[in-house]
Amino acid sequence: VQLQASGGGLVQAGGSLRLSCTASGRYVMAWFRQAPGKERAFVARISSSGGTTNYADSVKGRFTISRDNAKNTVYLQMNSLKPEDTAVYYCAGDRYWQPRYWQPHEYDYWGQGTQVTVSS
């Protein structure tokens, strides 16, 4: 299973970015992020059909996870970005809808990470 993340970059506070993650199949997909010196943290999750999503409280109302199953691609639209959103963003996948979805070890497949930097 291969996951390929892209779309990171440098943006000013209040700006937007869209991350993409292309998978080699259809899985439950999630985004995590890891800031320097911090643990990897859950951002958002989407079911394999796209019908159900979960978000971390810190991004609710600003980030939207979606998917295009024809392209095996999951997106993370990030709006109203803040400096504290600066991190390496990772996409993750799993075959199952896990109950403890906020825990990184619940996902078997990981992309390589893409850097998002938000300047103040």
PDB file of all heavy atoms in Angstrom, residues 76-114:
ATOM      1  N   LEU A  76      -7.447  17.557   2.152  1.00  0.00           N
ATOM      2  CA  LEU A  76      -7.638  18.319   3.380  1.00  0.00           C
ATOM      3  C   LEU A  76      -7.596  19.789   3.000  1.00  0.00           C
ATOM      4  O   LEU A  76      -6.527  20.332   2.709  1.00  0.00           O
ATOM      5  CB  LEU A  76      -6.571  17.998   4.427  1.00  0.00           C
ATOM      6  CG  LEU A  76      -6.802  18.668   5.776  1.00  0.00           C
ATOM      7  CD1 LEU A  76      -8.034  18.061   6.474  1.00  0.00           C
ATOM      8  CD2 LEU A  76      -5.581  18.537   6.683  1.00  0.00           C
ATOM      9  N   GLN A  77      -8.775  20.395   2.951  1.00  0.00           N
ATOM     10  CA  GLN A  77      -8.862  21.830   2.686  1.00  0.00           C
ATOM     11  C   GLN A  77      -8.696  22.571   4.004  1.00  0.00           C
ATOM     12  O   GLN A  77      -9.475  22.358   4.943  1.00  0.00           O
ATOM     13  CB  GLN A  77     -10.217  22.168   2.060  1.00  0.00           C
ATOM     14  CG  GLN A  77     -10.408  23.648   1.790  1.00  0.00           C
ATOM     15  CD  GLN A  77      -9.466  24.182   0.718  1.00  0.00           C
ATOM     16  OE1 GLN A  77      -9.266  23.552  -0.311  1.00  0.00           O
ATOM     17  NE2 GLN A  77      -8.877  25.346   0.978  1.00  0.00           N
ATOM     18  N   MET A  78      -7.685  23.408   4.065  1.00  0.00           N
ATOM     19  CA  MET A  78      -7.358  24.119   5.298  1.00  0.00           C
ATOM     20  C   MET A  78      -7.562  25.613   5.080  1.00  0.00           C
ATOM     21  O   MET A  78      -6.860  26.220   4.256  1.00  0.00           O
ATOM     22  CB  MET A  78      -5.913  23.828   5.705  1.00  0.00           C
ATOM     23  CG  MET A  78      -5.616  22.339   5.845  1.00  0.00           C
ATOM     24  SD  MET A  78      -3.967  22.001   6.468  1.00  0.00           S
ATOM     25  CE  MET A  78      -2.967  22.629   5.126  1.00  0.00           C
ATOM     26  N   ASN A  79      -8.522  26.169   5.788  1.00  0.00           N
ATOM     27  CA  ASN A  79      -8.825  27.595   5.693  1.00  0.00           C
ATOM     28  C   ASN A  79      -8.524  28.285   7.022  1.00  0.00           C
ATOM     29  O   ASN A  79      -8.397  27.632   8.054  1.00  0.00           O
ATOM     30  CB  ASN A  79     -10.291  27.798   5.321  1.00  0.00           C
ATOM     31  CG  ASN A  79     -10.650  27.208   3.975  1.00  0.00           C
ATOM     32  OD1 ASN A  79      -9.820  27.148   3.060  1.00  0.00           O
ATOM     33  ND2 ASN A  79     -11.881  26.763   3.834  1.00  0.00           N
ATOM     34  N   SER A  80      -8.457  29.591   6.977  1.00  0.00           N
ATOM     35  CA  SER A  80      -8.205  30.385   8.192  1.00  0.00           C
ATOM     36  C   SER A  80      -7.022  29.836   8.971  1.00  0.00           C
ATOM     37  O   SER A  80      -7.088  29.645  10.193  1.00  0.00           O
ATOM     38  CB  SER A  80      -9.460  30.413   9.071  1.00  0.00           C
ATOM     39  OG  SER A  80     -10.560  30.941   8.367  1.00  0.00           O
ATOM     40  N   LEU A  81      -5.944  29.591   8.275  1.00  0.00           N
ATOM     41  CA  LEU A  81      -4.776  28.971   8.898  1.00  0.00           C
ATOM     42  C   LEU A  81      -4.162  29.877   9.954  1.00  0.00           C
ATOM     43  O   LEU A  81      -4.152  31.118   9.812  1.00  0.00           O
ATOM     44  CB  LEU A  81      -3.757  28.597   7.845  1.00  0.00           C
ATOM     45  CG  LEU A  81      -4.090  27.309   7.072  1.00  0.00           C
ATOM     46  CD1 LEU A  81      -3.331  27.246   5.757  1.00  0.00           C
ATOM     47  CD2 LEU A  81      -3.800  26.098   7.921  1.00  0.00           C
ATOM     48  N   LYS A  82      -3.638  29.244  10.990  1.00  0.00           N
ATOM     49  CA  LYS A  82      -3.020  29.940  12.106  1.00  0.00           C
ATOM     50  C   LYS A  82      -1.575  29.476  12.238  1.00  0.00           C
ATOM     51  O   LYS A  82      -1.245  28.350  11.813  1.00  0.00           O
ATOM     52  CB  LYS A  82      -3.758  29.614  13.396  1.00  0.00           C
ATOM     53  CG  LYS A  82      -5.248  29.906  13.367  1.00  0.00           C
ATOM     54  CD  LYS A  82      -5.905  29.422  14.656  1.00  0.00           C
ATOM     55  CE  LYS A  82      -7.398  29.670  14.632  1.00  0.00           C
ATOM     56  NZ  LYS A  82      -8.059  29.197  15.888  1.00  0.00           N
ATOM     57  N   PRO A  83      -0.710  30.275  12.836  1.00  0.00           N
ATOM     58  CA  PRO A  83       0.685  29.833  13.037  1.00  0.00           C
ATOM     59  C   PRO A  83       0.783  28.501  13.770  1.00  0.00           C
ATOM     60  O   PRO A  83       1.687  27.699  13.489  1.00  0.00           O
ATOM     61  CB  PRO A  83       1.296  30.987  13.840  1.00  0.00           C
ATOM     62  CG  PRO A  83       0.505  32.181  13.413  1.00  0.00           C
ATOM     63  CD  PRO A  83      -0.896  31.686  13.222  1.00  0.00           C
ATOM     64  N   GLU A  84      -0.144  28.233  14.679  1.00  0.00           N
ATOM     65  CA  GLU A  84      -0.109  26.973  15.421  1.00  0.00           C
ATOM     66  C   GLU A  84      -0.495  25.766  14.573  1.00  0.00           C
ATOM     67  O   GLU A  84      -0.397  24.627  15.026  1.00  0.00           O
ATOM     68  CB  GLU A  84      -1.004  27.046  16.665  1.00  0.00           C
ATOM     69  CG  GLU A  84      -2.410  27.524  16.413  1.00  0.00           C
ATOM     70  CD  GLU A  84      -2.576  29.015  16.688  1.00  0.00           C
ATOM     71  OE1 GLU A  84      -1.693  29.811  16.271  1.00  0.00           O
ATOM     72  OE2 GLU A  84      -3.592  29.381  17.312  1.00  0.00           O
ATOM     73  N   ASP A  85      -0.925  25.994  13.326  1.00  0.00           N
ATOM     74  CA  ASP A  85      -1.163  24.883  12.402  1.00  0.00           C
ATOM     75  C   ASP A  85       0.127  24.423  11.724  1.00  0.00           C
ATOM     76  O   ASP A  85       0.126  23.420  11.001  1.00  0.00           O
ATOM     77  CB  ASP A  85      -2.171  25.293  11.319  1.00  0.00           C
ATOM     78  CG  ASP A  85      -3.550  25.568  11.873  1.00  0.00           C
ATOM     79  OD1 ASP A  85      -4.011  24.799  12.740  1.00  0.00           O
ATOM     80  OD2 ASP A  85      -4.170  26.568  11.436  1.00  0.00           O
ATOM     81  N   THR A  86       1.210  25.137  11.950  1.00  0.00           N
ATOM     82  CA  THR A  86       2.489  24.769  11.357  1.00  0.00           C
ATOM     83  C   THR A  86       2.931  23.396  11.851  1.00  0.00           C
ATOM     84  O   THR A  86       2.990  23.138  13.054  1.00  0.00           O
ATOM     85  CB  THR A  86       3.562  25.809  11.712  1.00  0.00           C
ATOM     86  OG1 THR A  86       3.219  27.060  11.091  1.00  0.00           O
ATOM     87  CG2 THR A  86       4.936  25.371  11.234  1.00  0.00           C
ATOM     88  N   ALA A  87       3.205  22.500  10.903  1.00  0.00           N
ATOM     89  CA  ALA A  87       3.577  21.126  11.237  1.00  0.00           C
ATOM     90  C   ALA A  87       3.864  20.369   9.946  1.00  0.00           C
ATOM     91  O   ALA A  87       3.577  20.866   8.848  1.00  0.00           O
ATOM     92  CB  ALA A  87       2.444  20.429  11.992  1.00  0.00           C
ATOM     93  N   VAL A  88       4.398  19.187  10.108  1.00  0.00           N
ATOM     94  CA  VAL A  88       4.436  18.229   9.003  1.00  0.00           C
ATOM     95  C   VAL A  88       3.122  17.461   9.039  1.00  0.00           C
ATOM     96  O   VAL A  88       2.754  16.924  10.091  1.00  0.00           O
ATOM     97  CB  VAL A  88       5.629  17.270   9.111  1.00  0.00           C
ATOM     98  CG1 VAL A  88       5.587  16.236   7.985  1.00  0.00           C
ATOM     99  CG2 VAL A  88       6.937  18.049   9.077  1.00  0.00           C
ATOM    100  N   TYR A  89       2.436  17.434   7.926  1.00  0.00           N
ATOM    101  CA  TYR A  89       1.141  16.759   7.835  1.00  0.00           C
ATOM    102  C   TYR A  89       1.324  15.411   7.154  1.00  0.00           C
ATOM    103  O   TYR A  89       1.961  15.316   6.093  1.00  0.00           O
ATOM    104  CB  TYR A  89       0.150  17.621   7.059  1.00  0.00           C
ATOM    105  CG  TYR A  89      -0.393  18.756   7.887  1.00  0.00           C
ATOM    106  CD1 TYR A  89       0.417  19.823   8.255  1.00  0.00           C
ATOM    107  CD2 TYR A  89      -1.717  18.750   8.326  1.00  0.00           C
ATOM    108  CE1 TYR A  89      -0.061  20.858   9.035  1.00  0.00           C
ATOM    109  CE2 TYR A  89      -2.214  19.779   9.100  1.00  0.00           C
ATOM    110  CZ  TYR A  89      -1.379  20.830   9.452  1.00  0.00           C
ATOM    111  OH  TYR A  89      -1.869  21.845  10.232  1.00  0.00           O
ATOM    112  N   TYR A  90       0.756  14.387   7.767  1.00  0.00           N
ATOM    113  CA  TYR A  90       0.848  13.028   7.268  1.00  0.00           C
ATOM    114  C   TYR A  90      -0.541  12.490   6.949  1.00  0.00           C
ATOM    115  O   TYR A  90      -1.469  12.679   7.740  1.00  0.00           O
ATOM    116  CB  TYR A  90       1.478  12.107   8.309  1.00  0.00           C
ATOM    117  CG  TYR A  90       2.899  12.439   8.679  1.00  0.00           C
ATOM    118  CD1 TYR A  90       3.179  13.314   9.724  1.00  0.00           C
ATOM    119  CD2 TYR A  90       3.969  11.870   7.996  1.00  0.00           C
ATOM    120  CE1 TYR A  90       4.482  13.619  10.072  1.00  0.00           C
ATOM    121  CE2 TYR A  90       5.278  12.168   8.333  1.00  0.00           C
ATOM    122  CZ  TYR A  90       5.521  13.044   9.368  1.00  0.00           C
ATOM    123  OH  TYR A  90       6.818  13.331   9.712  1.00  0.00           O
ATOM    124  N   CYS A  91      -0.660  11.796   5.820  1.00  0.00           N
ATOM    125  CA  CYS A  91      -1.888  11.057   5.592  1.00  0.00           C
ATOM    126  C   CYS A  91      -1.676   9.615   6.042  1.00  0.00           C
ATOM    127  O   CYS A  91      -0.557   9.094   5.999  1.00  0.00           O
ATOM    128  CB  CYS A  91      -2.337  11.122   4.139  1.00  0.00           C
ATOM    129  SG  CYS A  91      -1.181  10.482   2.923  1.00  0.00           S
ATOM    130  N   ALA A  92      -2.746   9.026   6.517  1.00  0.00           N
ATOM    131  CA  ALA A  92      -2.707   7.663   7.033  1.00  0.00           C
ATOM    132  C   ALA A  92      -3.929   6.905   6.537  1.00  0.00           C
ATOM    133  O   ALA A  92      -4.972   7.506   6.276  1.00  0.00           O
ATOM    134  CB  ALA A  92      -2.680   7.679   8.552  1.00  0.00           C
ATOM    135  N   GLY A  93      -3.779   5.588   6.432  1.00  0.00           N
ATOM    136  CA  GLY A  93      -4.883   4.767   5.964  1.00  0.00           C
ATOM    137  C   GLY A  93      -5.001   3.472   6.727  1.00  0.00           C
ATOM    138  O   GLY A  93      -4.017   2.990   7.311  1.00  0.00           O
ATOM    139  N   ASP A  94      -6.192   2.929   6.718  1.00  0.00           N
ATOM    140  CA  ASP A  94      -6.424   1.629   7.350  1.00  0.00           C
ATOM    141  C   ASP A  94      -7.617   0.977   6.666  1.00  0.00           C
ATOM    142  O   ASP A  94      -8.496   1.657   6.143  1.00  0.00           O
ATOM    143  CB  ASP A  94      -6.676   1.792   8.844  1.00  0.00           C
ATOM    144  CG  ASP A  94      -6.469   0.485   9.585  1.00  0.00           C
ATOM    145  OD1 ASP A  94      -5.306   0.188   9.931  1.00  0.00           O
ATOM    146  OD2 ASP A  94      -7.458  -0.232   9.793  1.00  0.00           O
ATOM    147  N   ARG A  95      -7.647  -0.352   6.732  1.00  0.00           N
ATOM    148  CA  ARG A  95      -8.764  -1.078   6.115  1.00  0.00           C
ATOM    149  C   ARG A  95     -10.037  -0.998   6.942  1.00  0.00           C
ATOM    150  O   ARG A  95     -11.127  -1.236   6.422  1.00  0.00           O
ATOM    151  CB  ARG A  95      -8.369  -2.547   5.932  1.00  0.00           C
ATOM    152  CG  ARG A  95      -7.191  -2.733   4.999  1.00  0.00           C
ATOM    153  CD  ARG A  95      -6.873  -4.203   4.783  1.00  0.00           C
ATOM    154  NE  ARG A  95      -5.665  -4.382   4.007  1.00  0.00           N
ATOM    155  CZ  ARG A  95      -5.596  -4.332   2.682  1.00  0.00           C
ATOM    156  NH1 ARG A  95      -6.698  -4.122   1.990  1.00  0.00           N
ATOM    157  NH2 ARG A  95      -4.454  -4.498   2.061  1.00  0.00           N
ATOM    158  N   TYR A  96      -9.903  -0.661   8.228  1.00  0.00           N
ATOM    159  CA  TYR A  96     -11.052  -0.730   9.128  1.00  0.00           C
ATOM    160  C   TYR A  96     -11.353   0.619   9.770  1.00  0.00           C
ATOM    161  O   TYR A  96     -10.477   1.456   9.951  1.00  0.00           O
ATOM    162  CB  TYR A  96     -10.789  -1.773  10.218  1.00  0.00           C
ATOM    163  CG  TYR A  96     -10.425  -3.122   9.658  1.00  0.00           C
ATOM    164  CD1 TYR A  96      -9.116  -3.591   9.727  1.00  0.00           C
ATOM    165  CD2 TYR A  96     -11.382  -3.907   9.033  1.00  0.00           C
ATOM    166  CE1 TYR A  96      -8.781  -4.825   9.190  1.00  0.00           C
ATOM    167  CE2 TYR A  96     -11.053  -5.136   8.491  1.00  0.00           C
ATOM    168  CZ  TYR A  96      -9.750  -5.585   8.572  1.00  0.00           C
ATOM    169  OH  TYR A  96      -9.426  -6.799   8.042  1.00  0.00           O
ATOM    170  N   TRP A  97     -12.607   0.785  10.151  1.00  0.00           N
ATOM    171  CA  TRP A  97     -13.084   1.974  10.859  1.00  0.00           C
ATOM    172  C   TRP A  97     -12.836   1.747  12.334  1.00  0.00           C
ATOM    173  O   TRP A  97     -13.629   1.166  13.048  1.00  0.00           O
ATOM    174  CB  TRP A  97     -14.572   2.148  10.555  1.00  0.00           C
ATOM    175  CG  TRP A  97     -15.201   3.407  11.067  1.00  0.00           C
ATOM    176  CD1 TRP A  97     -16.071   3.514  12.107  1.00  0.00           C
ATOM    177  CD2 TRP A  97     -15.026   4.729  10.555  1.00  0.00           C
ATOM    178  NE1 TRP A  97     -16.440   4.821  12.254  1.00  0.00           N
ATOM    179  CE2 TRP A  97     -15.833   5.588  11.323  1.00  0.00           C
ATOM    180  CE3 TRP A  97     -14.277   5.263   9.500  1.00  0.00           C
ATOM    181  CZ2 TRP A  97     -15.902   6.956  11.069  1.00  0.00           C
ATOM    182  CZ3 TRP A  97     -14.352   6.625   9.253  1.00  0.00           C
ATOM    183  CH2 TRP A  97     -15.164   7.453  10.039  1.00  0.00           C
ATOM    184  N   GLN A  98     -11.705   2.251  12.810  1.00  0.00           N
ATOM    185  CA  GLN A  98     -11.242   1.960  14.149  1.00  0.00           C
ATOM    186  C   GLN A  98     -11.909   2.878  15.180  1.00  0.00           C
ATOM    187  O   GLN A  98     -12.130   4.058  14.904  1.00  0.00           O
ATOM    188  CB  GLN A  98      -9.714   2.119  14.221  1.00  0.00           C
ATOM    189  CG  GLN A  98      -8.944   1.236  13.262  1.00  0.00           C
ATOM    190  CD  GLN A  98      -8.927  -0.213  13.689  1.00  0.00           C
ATOM    191  OE1 GLN A  98      -9.594  -0.609  14.639  1.00  0.00           O
ATOM    192  NE2 GLN A  98      -8.151  -1.020  12.975  1.00  0.00           N
ATOM    193  N   PRO A  99     -12.210   2.349  16.378  1.00  0.00           N
ATOM    194  CA  PRO A  99     -12.871   3.185  17.395  1.00  0.00           C
ATOM    195  C   PRO A  99     -11.976   4.282  17.960  1.00  0.00           C
ATOM    196  O   PRO A  99     -12.456   5.373  18.261  1.00  0.00           O
ATOM    197  CB  PRO A  99     -13.277   2.181  18.476  1.00  0.00           C
ATOM    198  CG  PRO A  99     -12.338   1.030  18.294  1.00  0.00           C
ATOM    199  CD  PRO A  99     -12.045   0.967  16.828  1.00  0.00           C
ATOM    200  N   ARG A 100     -10.706   3.998  18.122  1.00  0.00           N
ATOM    201  CA  ARG A 100      -9.787   5.005  18.684  1.00  0.00           C
ATOM    202  C   ARG A 100      -9.040   5.697  17.550  1.00  0.00           C
ATOM    203  O   ARG A 100      -7.810   5.632  17.462  1.00  0.00           O
ATOM    204  CB  ARG A 100      -8.837   4.345  19.677  1.00  0.00           C
ATOM    205  CG  ARG A 100      -9.553   3.831  20.910  1.00  0.00           C
ATOM    206  CD  ARG A 100      -8.584   3.177  21.897  1.00  0.00           C
ATOM    207  NE  ARG A 100      -9.254   2.773  23.117  1.00  0.00           N
ATOM    208  CZ  ARG A 100      -9.883   1.623  23.267  1.00  0.00           C
ATOM    209  NH1 ARG A 100      -9.953   0.765  22.267  1.00  0.00           N
ATOM    210  NH2 ARG A 100     -10.461   1.319  24.416  1.00  0.00           N
ATOM    211  N   TYR A 101      -9.770   6.358  16.720  1.00  0.00           N
ATOM    212  CA  TYR A 101      -9.254   6.882  15.460  1.00  0.00           C
ATOM    213  C   TYR A 101      -8.225   7.990  15.638  1.00  0.00           C
ATOM    214  O   TYR A 101      -7.522   8.323  14.700  1.00  0.00           O
ATOM    215  CB  TYR A 101     -10.409   7.419  14.605  1.00  0.00           C
ATOM    216  CG  TYR A 101     -11.241   8.462  15.296  1.00  0.00           C
ATOM    217  CD1 TYR A 101     -10.890   9.798  15.246  1.00  0.00           C
ATOM    218  CD2 TYR A 101     -12.388   8.105  15.988  1.00  0.00           C
ATOM    219  CE1 TYR A 101     -11.655  10.765  15.871  1.00  0.00           C
ATOM    220  CE2 TYR A 101     -13.170   9.054  16.614  1.00  0.00           C
ATOM    221  CZ  TYR A 101     -12.803  10.385  16.552  1.00  0.00           C
ATOM    222  OH  TYR A 101     -13.562  11.320  17.180  1.00  0.00           O
ATOM    223  N   TRP A 102      -8.169   8.568  16.828  1.00  0.00           N
ATOM    224  CA  TRP A 102      -7.243   9.670  17.079  1.00  0.00           C
ATOM    225  C   TRP A 102      -5.840   9.167  17.419  1.00  0.00           C
ATOM    226  O   TRP A 102      -4.913   9.962  17.566  1.00  0.00           O
ATOM    227  CB  TRP A 102      -7.755  10.558  18.215  1.00  0.00           C
ATOM    228  CG  TRP A 102      -7.932   9.817  19.495  1.00  0.00           C
ATOM    229  CD1 TRP A 102      -7.005   9.641  20.497  1.00  0.00           C
ATOM    230  CD2 TRP A 102      -9.094   9.105  19.915  1.00  0.00           C
ATOM    231  NE1 TRP A 102      -7.535   8.867  21.494  1.00  0.00           N
ATOM    232  CE2 TRP A 102      -8.820   8.527  21.174  1.00  0.00           C
ATOM    233  CE3 TRP A 102     -10.358   8.901  19.347  1.00  0.00           C
ATOM    234  CZ2 TRP A 102      -9.764   7.764  21.866  1.00  0.00           C
ATOM    235  CZ3 TRP A 102     -11.291   8.140  20.039  1.00  0.00           C
ATOM    236  CH2 TRP A 102     -10.986   7.587  21.276  1.00  0.00           C
ATOM    237  N   GLN A 103      -5.685   7.874  17.530  1.00  0.00           N
ATOM    238  CA  GLN A 103      -4.392   7.306  17.890  1.00  0.00           C
ATOM    239  C   GLN A 103      -3.639   6.833  16.653  1.00  0.00           C
ATOM    240  O   GLN A 103      -4.150   6.008  15.886  1.00  0.00           O
ATOM    241  CB  GLN A 103      -4.583   6.152  18.871  1.00  0.00           C
ATOM    242  CG  GLN A 103      -5.178   6.608  20.184  1.00  0.00           C
ATOM    243  CD  GLN A 103      -5.266   5.486  21.209  1.00  0.00           C
ATOM    244  OE1 GLN A 103      -5.003   4.340  20.901  1.00  0.00           O
ATOM    245  NE2 GLN A 103      -5.633   5.845  22.429  1.00  0.00           N
ATOM    246  N   PRO A 104      -2.416   7.321  16.448  1.00  0.00           N
ATOM    247  CA  PRO A 104      -1.660   6.963  15.238  1.00  0.00           C
ATOM    248  C   PRO A 104      -1.496   5.459  15.028  1.00  0.00           C
ATOM    249  O   PRO A 104      -1.504   4.982  13.889  1.00  0.00           O
ATOM    250  CB  PRO A 104      -0.309   7.645  15.467  1.00  0.00           C
ATOM    251  CG  PRO A 104      -0.618   8.802  16.359  1.00  0.00           C
ATOM    252  CD  PRO A 104      -1.709   8.316  17.268  1.00  0.00           C
ATOM    253  N   HIS A 105      -1.378   4.702  16.105  1.00  0.00           N
ATOM    254  CA  HIS A 105      -1.114   3.271  15.942  1.00  0.00           C
ATOM    255  C   HIS A 105      -2.313   2.505  15.395  1.00  0.00           C
ATOM    256  O   HIS A 105      -2.193   1.325  15.073  1.00  0.00           O
ATOM    257  CB  HIS A 105      -0.635   2.652  17.264  1.00  0.00           C
ATOM    258  CG  HIS A 105      -1.676   2.600  18.332  1.00  0.00           C
ATOM    259  ND1 HIS A 105      -1.687   3.455  19.403  1.00  0.00           N
ATOM    260  CD2 HIS A 105      -2.765   1.792  18.497  1.00  0.00           C
ATOM    261  CE1 HIS A 105      -2.712   3.173  20.180  1.00  0.00           C
ATOM    262  NE2 HIS A 105      -3.381   2.177  19.653  1.00  0.00           N
ATOM    263  N   GLU A 106      -3.471   3.172  15.270  1.00  0.00           N
ATOM    264  CA  GLU A 106      -4.643   2.515  14.685  1.00  0.00           C
ATOM    265  C   GLU A 106      -4.557   2.432  13.158  1.00  0.00           C
ATOM    266  O   GLU A 106      -5.388   1.782  12.529  1.00  0.00           O
ATOM    267  CB  GLU A 106      -5.910   3.274  15.068  1.00  0.00           C
ATOM    268  CG  GLU A 106      -6.239   3.246  16.549  1.00  0.00           C
ATOM    269  CD  GLU A 106      -6.776   1.900  17.011  1.00  0.00           C
ATOM    270  OE1 GLU A 106      -7.111   1.057  16.157  1.00  0.00           O
ATOM    271  OE2 GLU A 106      -6.829   1.673  18.236  1.00  0.00           O
ATOM    272  N   TYR A 107      -3.560   3.080  12.567  1.00  0.00           N
ATOM    273  CA  TYR A 107      -3.442   3.131  11.111  1.00  0.00           C
ATOM    274  C   TYR A 107      -2.229   2.331  10.661  1.00  0.00           C
ATOM    275  O   TYR A 107      -1.140   2.496  11.180  1.00  0.00           O
ATOM    276  CB  TYR A 107      -3.342   4.582  10.644  1.00  0.00           C
ATOM    277  CG  TYR A 107      -4.573   5.364  11.014  1.00  0.00           C
ATOM    278  CD1 TYR A 107      -4.686   5.960  12.260  1.00  0.00           C
ATOM    279  CD2 TYR A 107      -5.649   5.462  10.131  1.00  0.00           C
ATOM    280  CE1 TYR A 107      -5.838   6.635  12.628  1.00  0.00           C
ATOM    281  CE2 TYR A 107      -6.795   6.148  10.489  1.00  0.00           C
ATOM    282  CZ  TYR A 107      -6.881   6.726  11.737  1.00  0.00           C
ATOM    283  OH  TYR A 107      -8.024   7.392  12.092  1.00  0.00           O
ATOM    284  N   ASP A 108      -2.434   1.504   9.655  1.00  0.00           N
ATOM    285  CA  ASP A 108      -1.356   0.642   9.176  1.00  0.00           C
ATOM    286  C   ASP A 108      -0.503   1.294   8.092  1.00  0.00           C
ATOM    287  O   ASP A 108       0.636   0.876   7.878  1.00  0.00           O
ATOM    288  CB  ASP A 108      -1.935  -0.662   8.615  1.00  0.00           C
ATOM    289  CG  ASP A 108      -2.443  -1.586   9.711  1.00  0.00           C
ATOM    290  OD1 ASP A 108      -1.986  -1.446  10.868  1.00  0.00           O
ATOM    291  OD2 ASP A 108      -3.293  -2.440   9.416  1.00  0.00           O
ATOM    292  N   TYR A 109      -1.043   2.268   7.392  1.00  0.00           N
ATOM    293  CA  TYR A 109      -0.354   2.809   6.223  1.00  0.00           C
ATOM    294  C   TYR A 109      -0.142   4.311   6.393  1.00  0.00           C
ATOM    295  O   TYR A 109      -1.052   5.027   6.841  1.00  0.00           O
ATOM    296  CB  TYR A 109      -1.170   2.535   4.947  1.00  0.00           C
ATOM    297  CG  TYR A 109      -1.706   1.133   4.875  1.00  0.00           C
ATOM    298  CD1 TYR A 109      -3.070   0.889   4.816  1.00  0.00           C
ATOM    299  CD2 TYR A 109      -0.843   0.044   4.888  1.00  0.00           C
ATOM    300  CE1 TYR A 109      -3.565  -0.402   4.760  1.00  0.00           C
ATOM    301  CE2 TYR A 109      -1.331  -1.254   4.841  1.00  0.00           C
ATOM    302  CZ  TYR A 109      -2.697  -1.466   4.783  1.00  0.00           C
ATOM    303  OH  TYR A 109      -3.178  -2.749   4.744  1.00  0.00           O
ATOM    304  N   TRP A 110       1.038   4.761   5.998  1.00  0.00           N
ATOM    305  CA  TRP A 110       1.401   6.170   6.178  1.00  0.00           C
ATOM    306  C   TRP A 110       2.069   6.725   4.942  1.00  0.00           C
ATOM    307  O   TRP A 110       2.861   6.028   4.291  1.00  0.00           O
ATOM    308  CB  TRP A 110       2.350   6.326   7.373  1.00  0.00           C
ATOM    309  CG  TRP A 110       1.654   6.090   8.674  1.00  0.00           C
ATOM    310  CD1 TRP A 110       1.468   4.891   9.309  1.00  0.00           C
ATOM    311  CD2 TRP A 110       1.028   7.075   9.489  1.00  0.00           C
ATOM    312  NE1 TRP A 110       0.754   5.076  10.463  1.00  0.00           N
ATOM    313  CE2 TRP A 110       0.475   6.410  10.597  1.00  0.00           C
ATOM    314  CE3 TRP A 110       0.866   8.454   9.400  1.00  0.00           C
ATOM    315  CZ2 TRP A 110      -0.226   7.080  11.617  1.00  0.00           C
ATOM    316  CZ3 TRP A 110       0.188   9.116  10.401  1.00  0.00           C
ATOM    317  CH2 TRP A 110      -0.354   8.438  11.491  1.00  0.00           C
ATOM    318  N   GLY A 111       1.756   7.990   4.647  1.00  0.00           N
ATOM    319  CA  GLY A 111       2.462   8.721   3.622  1.00  0.00           C
ATOM    320  C   GLY A 111       3.726   9.342   4.171  1.00  0.00           C
ATOM    321  O   GLY A 111       4.014   9.243   5.377  1.00  0.00           O
ATOM    322  N   GLN A 112       4.447  10.053   3.337  1.00  0.00           N
ATOM    323  CA  GLN A 112       5.775  10.554   3.706  1.00  0.00           C
ATOM    324  C   GLN A 112       5.755  11.888   4.424  1.00  0.00           C
ATOM    325  O   GLN A 112       6.783  12.307   4.925  1.00  0.00           O
ATOM    326  CB  GLN A 112       6.651  10.685   2.445  1.00  0.00           C
ATOM    327  CG  GLN A 112       6.444  11.947   1.647  1.00  0.00           C
ATOM    328  CD  GLN A 112       5.174  11.952   0.824  1.00  0.00           C
ATOM    329  OE1 GLN A 112       4.289  11.116   0.947  1.00  0.00           O
ATOM    330  NE2 GLN A 112       5.079  12.934  -0.072  1.00  0.00           N
ATOM    331  N   GLY A 113       4.625  12.574   4.471  1.00  0.00           N
ATOM    332  CA  GLY A 113       4.559  13.860   5.151  1.00  0.00           C
ATOM    333  C   GLY A 113       4.808  15.025   4.220  1.00  0.00           C
ATOM    334  O   GLY A 113       5.619  14.931   3.284  1.00  0.00           O
ATOM    335  N   THR A 114       4.112  16.116   4.475  1.00  0.00           N
ATOM    336  CA  THR A 114       4.294  17.342   3.711  1.00  0.00           C
ATOM    337  C   THR A 114       4.272  18.512   4.684  1.00  0.00           C
ATOM    338  O   THR A 114       3.440  18.575   5.581  1.00  0.00           O
ATOM    339  CB  THR A 114       3.215  17.481   2.606  1.00  0.00           C
ATOM    340  OG1 THR A 114       3.484  18.636   1.820  1.00  0.00           O
ATOM    341  CG2 THR A 114       1.809  17.561   3.180  1.00  0.00           C
TER     342      THR A 114
END
